[in-house]
Amino acid sequence: MRSSIARRSAVFGSAALLFFLPMGAAVHAEPAESPASALTESLPAEMVTALARDLSLTPEQYLTQSSLGQQLAQFAADARQRFPEVFAGTWLEHGQPIVALAPGADRAAAEAEAVAAGFTVREVAQSEQNLQSQIAQLDSWLDTQPPAIADLVRGITLDVVGNGLVLRTNDANGSLELPAFFPNIRILPSPNPIEPAPIDPSLLTSPLPGD
């Protein structure tokens, strides 16, 4: 009861204060800065420049996409638990939040929740769970291969947008052949390792400044 009376008193007090403000004060009052504007202005100038140069994004667009990315990440974490047989990943495409769904019993329920959250649903062939299972099978198959074949593979990644797998290899001659039961696997060359810049030996023997 006491808290209810206190809340009513606070509301009435605020209304009374607004009512008795001089008209001049109301006309010349500065509008409150929106949270989005405050966040935009808090970005470092170097970051704003890099966003425009490298990503062609304004600070407002960057903050919007960051917020959408967080929402997609939360949806993905929930969907992996509740709709594992149909959930196939999320990503941002030209600023639009995409949720990929594969066929399955829970597809209608998953799509309804994605649409209600404001996301665009993309239909794909395989769920994320299915693709992860293929990665495990490919690992098991590689374990049975001779080193000359197994050592060609440098990594296996899940291609969410392409709804498949990407296999990175050192196979310059194209000698790696995968079994037919691994569909939708793209084989790409592994990026060359970054070599450290050579060091001038004279620098190691030169006296340091001030010596």
mmCIF file with all atom_site columns, all heavy atoms in Angstrom, residues 184-200:
data_model
loop_
_atom_site.group_PDB
_atom_site.id
_atom_site.type_symbol
_atom_site.label_atom_id
_atom_site.label_alt_id
_atom_site.label_comp_id
_atom_site.label_asym_id
_atom_site.label_entity_id
_atom_site.label_seq_id
_atom_site.pdbx_PDB_ins_code
_atom_site.Cartn_x
_atom_site.Cartn_y
_atom_site.Cartn_z
_atom_site.occupancy
_atom_site.B_iso_or_equiv
_atom_site.pdbx_formal_charge
_atom_site.auth_seq_id
_atom_site.auth_comp_id
_atom_site.auth_asym_id
_atom_site.auth_atom_id
_atom_site.pdbx_PDB_model_num
ATOM 1   N N   . ASN A 1 184 ? 28.143 -32.216 -51.605 1.00 0.00 ? 184 ASN A N   1
ATOM 2   C CA  . ASN A 1 184 ? 28.189 -30.780 -51.268 1.00 0.00 ? 184 ASN A CA  1
ATOM 3   C C   . ASN A 1 184 ? 29.434 -30.387 -50.475 1.00 0.00 ? 184 ASN A C   1
ATOM 4   O O   . ASN A 1 184 ? 29.360 -29.573 -49.551 1.00 0.00 ? 184 ASN A O   1
ATOM 5   C CB  . ASN A 1 184 ? 26.940 -30.368 -50.480 1.00 0.00 ? 184 ASN A CB  1
ATOM 6   C CG  . ASN A 1 184 ? 25.662 -30.631 -51.244 1.00 0.00 ? 184 ASN A CG  1
ATOM 7   O OD1 . ASN A 1 184 ? 25.625 -30.474 -52.461 1.00 0.00 ? 184 ASN A OD1 1
ATOM 8   N ND2 . ASN A 1 184 ? 24.625 -31.048 -50.543 1.00 0.00 ? 184 ASN A ND2 1
ATOM 9   N N   . ILE A 1 185 ? 30.572 -30.967 -50.817 1.00 0.00 ? 185 ILE A N   1
ATOM 10  C CA  . ILE A 1 185 ? 31.827 -30.581 -50.178 1.00 0.00 ? 185 ILE A CA  1
ATOM 11  C C   . ILE A 1 185 ? 32.685 -29.855 -51.206 1.00 0.00 ? 185 ILE A C   1
ATOM 12  O O   . ILE A 1 185 ? 32.996 -30.404 -52.267 1.00 0.00 ? 185 ILE A O   1
ATOM 13  C CB  . ILE A 1 185 ? 32.587 -31.796 -49.614 1.00 0.00 ? 185 ILE A CB  1
ATOM 14  C CG1 . ILE A 1 185 ? 31.795 -32.435 -48.475 1.00 0.00 ? 185 ILE A CG1 1
ATOM 15  C CG2 . ILE A 1 185 ? 33.963 -31.374 -49.113 1.00 0.00 ? 185 ILE A CG2 1
ATOM 16  C CD1 . ILE A 1 185 ? 32.498 -33.605 -47.821 1.00 0.00 ? 185 ILE A CD1 1
ATOM 17  N N   . ARG A 1 186 ? 33.032 -28.627 -50.894 1.00 0.00 ? 186 ARG A N   1
ATOM 18  C CA  . ARG A 1 186 ? 33.918 -27.858 -51.771 1.00 0.00 ? 186 ARG A CA  1
ATOM 19  C C   . ARG A 1 186 ? 35.354 -28.031 -51.301 1.00 0.00 ? 186 ARG A C   1
ATOM 20  O O   . ARG A 1 186 ? 35.635 -27.910 -50.106 1.00 0.00 ? 186 ARG A O   1
ATOM 21  C CB  . ARG A 1 186 ? 33.543 -26.374 -51.764 1.00 0.00 ? 186 ARG A CB  1
ATOM 22  C CG  . ARG A 1 186 ? 32.228 -26.057 -52.443 1.00 0.00 ? 186 ARG A CG  1
ATOM 23  C CD  . ARG A 1 186 ? 32.074 -24.559 -52.621 1.00 0.00 ? 186 ARG A CD  1
ATOM 24  N NE  . ARG A 1 186 ? 32.052 -23.867 -51.342 1.00 0.00 ? 186 ARG A NE  1
ATOM 25  C CZ  . ARG A 1 186 ? 32.537 -22.649 -51.143 1.00 0.00 ? 186 ARG A CZ  1
ATOM 26  N NH1 . ARG A 1 186 ? 33.116 -21.990 -52.136 1.00 0.00 ? 186 ARG A NH1 1
ATOM 27  N NH2 . ARG A 1 186 ? 32.458 -22.071 -49.953 1.00 0.00 ? 186 ARG A NH2 1
ATOM 28  N N   . ILE A 1 187 ? 36.239 -28.305 -52.228 1.00 0.00 ? 187 ILE A N   1
ATOM 29  C CA  . ILE A 1 187 ? 37.653 -28.460 -51.907 1.00 0.00 ? 187 ILE A CA  1
ATOM 30  C C   . ILE A 1 187 ? 38.384 -27.203 -52.363 1.00 0.00 ? 187 ILE A C   1
ATOM 31  O O   . ILE A 1 187 ? 38.365 -26.852 -53.546 1.00 0.00 ? 187 ILE A O   1
ATOM 32  C CB  . ILE A 1 187 ? 38.242 -29.706 -52.594 1.00 0.00 ? 187 ILE A CB  1
ATOM 33  C CG1 . ILE A 1 187 ? 37.506 -30.963 -52.109 1.00 0.00 ? 187 ILE A CG1 1
ATOM 34  C CG2 . ILE A 1 187 ? 39.728 -29.817 -52.311 1.00 0.00 ? 187 ILE A CG2 1
ATOM 35  C CD1 . ILE A 1 187 ? 37.994 -32.241 -52.767 1.00 0.00 ? 187 ILE A CD1 1
ATOM 36  N N   . LEU A 1 188 ? 39.003 -26.517 -51.413 1.00 0.00 ? 188 LEU A N   1
ATOM 37  C CA  . LEU A 1 188 ? 39.712 -25.274 -51.701 1.00 0.00 ? 188 LEU A CA  1
ATOM 38  C C   . LEU A 1 188 ? 41.153 -25.388 -51.234 1.00 0.00 ? 188 LEU A C   1
ATOM 39  O O   . LEU A 1 188 ? 41.445 -26.103 -50.265 1.00 0.00 ? 188 LEU A O   1
ATOM 40  C CB  . LEU A 1 188 ? 39.035 -24.091 -50.994 1.00 0.00 ? 188 LEU A CB  1
ATOM 41  C CG  . LEU A 1 188 ? 37.585 -23.785 -51.396 1.00 0.00 ? 188 LEU A CG  1
ATOM 42  C CD1 . LEU A 1 188 ? 37.050 -22.632 -50.555 1.00 0.00 ? 188 LEU A CD1 1
ATOM 43  C CD2 . LEU A 1 188 ? 37.482 -23.460 -52.876 1.00 0.00 ? 188 LEU A CD2 1
ATOM 44  N N   . PRO A 1 189 ? 42.055 -24.689 -51.902 1.00 0.00 ? 189 PRO A N   1
ATOM 45  C CA  . PRO A 1 189 ? 43.455 -24.720 -51.449 1.00 0.00 ? 189 PRO A CA  1
ATOM 46  C C   . PRO A 1 189 ? 43.609 -24.037 -50.107 1.00 0.00 ? 189 PRO A C   1
ATOM 47  O O   . PRO A 1 189 ? 42.954 -23.034 -49.816 1.00 0.00 ? 189 PRO A O   1
ATOM 48  C CB  . PRO A 1 189 ? 44.201 -23.974 -52.557 1.00 0.00 ? 189 PRO A CB  1
ATOM 49  C CG  . PRO A 1 189 ? 43.167 -23.097 -53.189 1.00 0.00 ? 189 PRO A CG  1
ATOM 50  C CD  . PRO A 1 189 ? 41.875 -23.860 -53.107 1.00 0.00 ? 189 PRO A CD  1
ATOM 51  N N   . SER A 1 190 ? 44.465 -24.598 -49.290 1.00 0.00 ? 190 SER A N   1
ATOM 52  C CA  . SER A 1 190 ? 44.745 -24.001 -47.989 1.00 0.00 ? 190 SER A CA  1
ATOM 53  C C   . SER A 1 190 ? 45.563 -22.732 -48.185 1.00 0.00 ? 190 SER A C   1
ATOM 54  O O   . SER A 1 190 ? 46.472 -22.705 -49.026 1.00 0.00 ? 190 SER A O   1
ATOM 55  C CB  . SER A 1 190 ? 45.517 -24.988 -47.117 1.00 0.00 ? 190 SER A CB  1
ATOM 56  O OG  . SER A 1 190 ? 45.796 -24.438 -45.853 1.00 0.00 ? 190 SER A OG  1
ATOM 57  N N   . PRO A 1 191 ? 45.250 -21.657 -47.459 1.00 0.00 ? 191 PRO A N   1
ATOM 58  C CA  . PRO A 1 191 ? 46.041 -20.428 -47.614 1.00 0.00 ? 191 PRO A CA  1
ATOM 59  C C   . PRO A 1 191 ? 47.484 -20.651 -47.205 1.00 0.00 ? 191 PRO A C   1
ATOM 60  O O   . PRO A 1 191 ? 47.780 -21.405 -46.279 1.00 0.00 ? 191 PRO A O   1
ATOM 61  C CB  . PRO A 1 191 ? 45.333 -19.434 -46.684 1.00 0.00 ? 191 PRO A CB  1
ATOM 62  C CG  . PRO A 1 191 ? 44.589 -20.277 -45.710 1.00 0.00 ? 191 PRO A CG  1
ATOM 63  C CD  . PRO A 1 191 ? 44.194 -21.519 -46.452 1.00 0.00 ? 191 PRO A CD  1
ATOM 64  N N   . ASN A 1 192 ? 48.375 -19.992 -47.912 1.00 0.00 ? 192 ASN A N   1
ATOM 65  C CA  . ASN A 1 192 ? 49.793 -20.118 -47.593 1.00 0.00 ? 192 ASN A CA  1
ATOM 66  C C   . ASN A 1 192 ? 50.088 -19.493 -46.240 1.00 0.00 ? 192 ASN A C   1
ATOM 67  O O   . ASN A 1 192 ? 49.549 -18.433 -45.911 1.00 0.00 ? 192 ASN A O   1
ATOM 68  C CB  . ASN A 1 192 ? 50.645 -19.435 -48.668 1.00 0.00 ? 192 ASN A CB  1
ATOM 69  C CG  . ASN A 1 192 ? 50.527 -20.132 -50.006 1.00 0.00 ? 192 ASN A CG  1
ATOM 70  O OD1 . ASN A 1 192 ? 50.387 -21.347 -50.074 1.00 0.00 ? 192 ASN A OD1 1
ATOM 71  N ND2 . ASN A 1 192 ? 50.561 -19.353 -51.080 1.00 0.00 ? 192 ASN A ND2 1
ATOM 72  N N   . PRO A 1 193 ? 50.920 -20.140 -45.437 1.00 0.00 ? 193 PRO A N   1
ATOM 73  C CA  . PRO A 1 193 ? 51.280 -19.542 -44.142 1.00 0.00 ? 193 PRO A CA  1
ATOM 74  C C   . PRO A 1 193 ? 52.059 -18.253 -44.342 1.00 0.00 ? 193 PRO A C   1
ATOM 75  O O   . PRO A 1 193 ? 52.786 -18.085 -45.329 1.00 0.00 ? 193 PRO A O   1
ATOM 76  C CB  . PRO A 1 193 ? 52.147 -20.622 -43.480 1.00 0.00 ? 193 PRO A CB  1
ATOM 77  C CG  . PRO A 1 193 ? 52.672 -21.440 -44.619 1.00 0.00 ? 193 PRO A CG  1
ATOM 78  C CD  . PRO A 1 193 ? 51.598 -21.426 -45.673 1.00 0.00 ? 193 PRO A CD  1
ATOM 79  N N   . ILE A 1 194 ? 51.876 -17.337 -43.415 1.00 0.00 ? 194 ILE A N   1
ATOM 80  C CA  . ILE A 1 194 ? 52.579 -16.056 -43.485 1.00 0.00 ? 194 ILE A CA  1
ATOM 81  C C   . ILE A 1 194 ? 54.021 -16.249 -43.021 1.00 0.00 ? 194 ILE A C   1
ATOM 82  O O   . ILE A 1 194 ? 54.274 -16.687 -41.895 1.00 0.00 ? 194 ILE A O   1
ATOM 83  C CB  . ILE A 1 194 ? 51.875 -14.998 -42.615 1.00 0.00 ? 194 ILE A CB  1
ATOM 84  C CG1 . ILE A 1 194 ? 50.442 -14.779 -43.123 1.00 0.00 ? 194 ILE A CG1 1
ATOM 85  C CG2 . ILE A 1 194 ? 52.646 -13.686 -42.616 1.00 0.00 ? 194 ILE A CG2 1
ATOM 86  C CD1 . ILE A 1 194 ? 49.641 -13.827 -42.262 1.00 0.00 ? 194 ILE A CD1 1
ATOM 87  N N   . GLU A 1 195 ? 54.937 -15.956 -43.915 1.00 0.00 ? 195 GLU A N   1
ATOM 88  C CA  . GLU A 1 195 ? 56.351 -16.097 -43.578 1.00 0.00 ? 195 GLU A CA  1
ATOM 89  C C   . GLU A 1 195 ? 56.833 -14.840 -42.859 1.00 0.00 ? 195 GLU A C   1
ATOM 90  O O   . GLU A 1 195 ? 56.524 -13.720 -43.280 1.00 0.00 ? 195 GLU A O   1
ATOM 91  C CB  . GLU A 1 195 ? 57.180 -16.309 -44.848 1.00 0.00 ? 195 GLU A CB  1
ATOM 92  C CG  . GLU A 1 195 ? 56.853 -17.598 -45.599 1.00 0.00 ? 195 GLU A CG  1
ATOM 93  C CD  . GLU A 1 195 ? 57.294 -18.828 -44.828 1.00 0.00 ? 195 GLU A CD  1
ATOM 94  O OE1 . GLU A 1 195 ? 58.165 -18.679 -43.939 1.00 0.00 ? 195 GLU A OE1 1
ATOM 95  O OE2 . GLU A 1 195 ? 56.767 -19.921 -45.096 1.00 0.00 ? 195 GLU A OE2 1
ATOM 96  N N   . PRO A 1 196 ? 57.582 -15.003 -41.775 1.00 0.00 ? 196 PRO A N   1
ATOM 97  C CA  . PRO A 1 196 ? 58.104 -13.813 -41.095 1.00 0.00 ? 196 PRO A CA  1
ATOM 98  C C   . PRO A 1 196 ? 59.102 -13.076 -41.982 1.00 0.00 ? 196 PRO A C   1
ATOM 99  O O   . PRO A 1 196 ? 59.830 -13.685 -42.769 1.00 0.00 ? 196 PRO A O   1
ATOM 100 C CB  . PRO A 1 196 ? 58.775 -14.385 -39.846 1.00 0.00 ? 196 PRO A CB  1
ATOM 101 C CG  . PRO A 1 196 ? 59.078 -15.812 -40.194 1.00 0.00 ? 196 PRO A CG  1
ATOM 102 C CD  . PRO A 1 196 ? 57.986 -16.254 -41.123 1.00 0.00 ? 196 PRO A CD  1
ATOM 103 N N   . ALA A 1 197 ? 59.107 -11.774 -41.861 1.00 0.00 ? 197 ALA A N   1
ATOM 104 C CA  . ALA A 1 197 ? 60.036 -10.971 -42.653 1.00 0.00 ? 197 ALA A CA  1
ATOM 105 C C   . ALA A 1 197 ? 61.464 -11.271 -42.234 1.00 0.00 ? 197 ALA A C   1
ATOM 106 O O   . ALA A 1 197 ? 61.747 -11.478 -41.046 1.00 0.00 ? 197 ALA A O   1
ATOM 107 C CB  . ALA A 1 197 ? 59.730 -9.488  -42.460 1.00 0.00 ? 197 ALA A CB  1
ATOM 108 N N   . PRO A 1 198 ? 62.377 -11.346 -43.203 1.00 0.00 ? 198 PRO A N   1
ATOM 109 C CA  . PRO A 1 198 ? 63.779 -11.622 -42.842 1.00 0.00 ? 198 PRO A CA  1
ATOM 110 C C   . PRO A 1 198 ? 64.363 -10.496 -42.001 1.00 0.00 ? 198 PRO A C   1
ATOM 111 O O   . PRO A 1 198 ? 64.022 -9.325  -42.168 1.00 0.00 ? 198 PRO A O   1
ATOM 112 C CB  . PRO A 1 198 ? 64.471 -11.720 -44.208 1.00 0.00 ? 198 PRO A CB  1
ATOM 113 C CG  . PRO A 1 198 ? 63.589 -10.960 -45.143 1.00 0.00 ? 198 PRO A CG  1
ATOM 114 C CD  . PRO A 1 198 ? 62.190 -11.164 -44.642 1.00 0.00 ? 198 PRO A CD  1
ATOM 115 N N   . ILE A 1 199 ? 65.226 -10.869 -41.082 1.00 0.00 ? 199 ILE A N   1
ATOM 116 C CA  . ILE A 1 199 ? 65.854 -9.902  -40.182 1.00 0.00 ? 199 ILE A CA  1
ATOM 117 C C   . ILE A 1 199 ? 67.274 -9.624  -40.660 1.00 0.00 ? 199 ILE A C   1
ATOM 118 O O   . ILE A 1 199 ? 68.040 -10.556 -40.958 1.00 0.00 ? 199 ILE A O   1
ATOM 119 C CB  . ILE A 1 199 ? 65.876 -10.432 -38.734 1.00 0.00 ? 199 ILE A CB  1
ATOM 120 C CG1 . ILE A 1 199 ? 64.435 -10.672 -38.246 1.00 0.00 ? 199 ILE A CG1 1
ATOM 121 C CG2 . ILE A 1 199 ? 66.600 -9.465  -37.807 1.00 0.00 ? 199 ILE A CG2 1
ATOM 122 C CD1 . ILE A 1 199 ? 64.368 -11.279 -36.864 1.00 0.00 ? 199 ILE A CD1 1
ATOM 123 N N   . ASP A 1 200 ? 67.593 -8.370  -40.760 1.00 0.00 ? 200 ASP A N   1
ATOM 124 C CA  . ASP A 1 200 ? 68.946 -7.972  -41.143 1.00 0.00 ? 200 ASP A CA  1
ATOM 125 C C   . ASP A 1 200 ? 69.900 -8.322  -39.995 1.00 0.00 ? 200 ASP A C   1
ATOM 126 O O   . ASP A 1 200 ? 69.758 -7.802  -38.886 1.00 0.00 ? 200 ASP A O   1
ATOM 127 C CB  . ASP A 1 200 ? 68.976 -6.469  -41.421 1.00 0.00 ? 200 ASP A CB  1
ATOM 128 C CG  . ASP A 1 200 ? 70.333 -6.012  -41.957 1.00 0.00 ? 200 ASP A CG  1
ATOM 129 O OD1 . ASP A 1 200 ? 71.272 -6.831  -41.958 1.00 0.00 ? 200 ASP A OD1 1
ATOM 130 O OD2 . ASP A 1 200 ? 70.434 -4.841  -42.360 1.00 0.00 ? 200 ASP A OD2 1
#
